[in-house]
Amino acid sequence: MKILIINGPNLNLLGIREPDIYGSESLSDIENWLNDQPESDGHSITWFQSNHEGELIDFIHGAMGNVGGIVINPGAFTHYSYAIRDAISAINVPTVEVHLSDINTREDFREISVIKDVCLDQISGLGKIGYLKGIQRLIN
Ligand code: DQA
């Protein structure tokens, strides 16, 4: 299966950014770890990160008709980007929402995901394992 793993704003700073919340591994550490997991074998996995809403939307549009599934961590856009929600809804590609931290036990504003309803599942609070579970959810 062709799978896209999309990361939104500030996730390029993983490893440096609030390590007590997001861990000490960088995004490329997580990328390498995930690509080495047996679950990734036989699948074509493409990673994309952007701090820009429009770039994320353009990339999501590019998935239409081309990929089997998307795992997305939209970062803070999770909580208010109806434009990213609409993009996911428009392309009709199975999508799983992932968060490293548990968005339900932090600040109140993080409990709201405007993306959730257009995704197959929301996986939150499992660190990098969340991306693996996201792939498994798409494959099975
Ligand atoms: C996050 C949670 C969001 O609330 C936050 O804005 C992020 C990261 C996570 O992976 O835990 O940037 O999506």
Side-chain angles (χ1 to χ4, degrees):
M1 188 191 280
K2 211 168 163 184
I3 295 169
L4 303 181
I5 304 188
I6 302 176
N7 283 283
N10 300 307
L11 292 163
N12 56 314
L13 294 183
L14 284 180
I16 301 165
R17 170 193 187 202
E18 300 172 275
D20 46 319
I21 296 174
Y22 299 114
S24 54
E25 289 183 286
S26 67
L27 188 56
S28 43
D29 290 337
I30 294 177
E31 212 173 303
N32 292 334
W33 171 80
L34 195 81
N35 290 341
D36 285 346
Q37 299 304 302
E39 286 83 351
S40 303
D41 277 355
H43 301 287
S44 151
I45 301 179
T46 303
W47 290 74
F48 179 75
Q49 188 276 330
S50 176
N51 294 322
H52 306 278
E53 190 177 26
E55 276 185 11
L56 292 163
I57 291 167
D58 287 345
F59 193 77
I60 292 167
H61 289 174
M64 194 162 20
N66 286 325
V67 307
I70 295 174
V71 174
I72 186 165
N73 181 348
F77 285 139
T78 304
H79 314 300
Y80 65 93
S81 177
Y82 295 109
I84 289 181
R85 177 200 167 101
D86 283 353
I88 294 169
S89 185
I91 62 167
N92 218 13
V93 172
T95 299
V96 178
E97 175 189 347
V98 166
H99 301 284
L100 293 154
S101 65
D102 183 354
I103 59 171
N104 296 303
T105 58
R106 297 181 61 195
E107 301 93 327
D108 288 352
F109 75 87
R110 292 188 205 274
E111 284 178 30
I112 293 163
S113 167
V114 301
I115 311 290
K116 189 177 170 186
D117 289 348
V118 295
C119 293
L120 291 178
D121 232 333
Q122 183 194 67
I123 299 165
S124 171
L126 300 180
K128 66 183 178 187
I129 309 271
Y131 292 95
L132 182 61
K133 295 235 179 255
I135 288 180
Q136 286 171 328
R137 180 73 174 81
L138 292 174
I139 294 167
N140 300 324

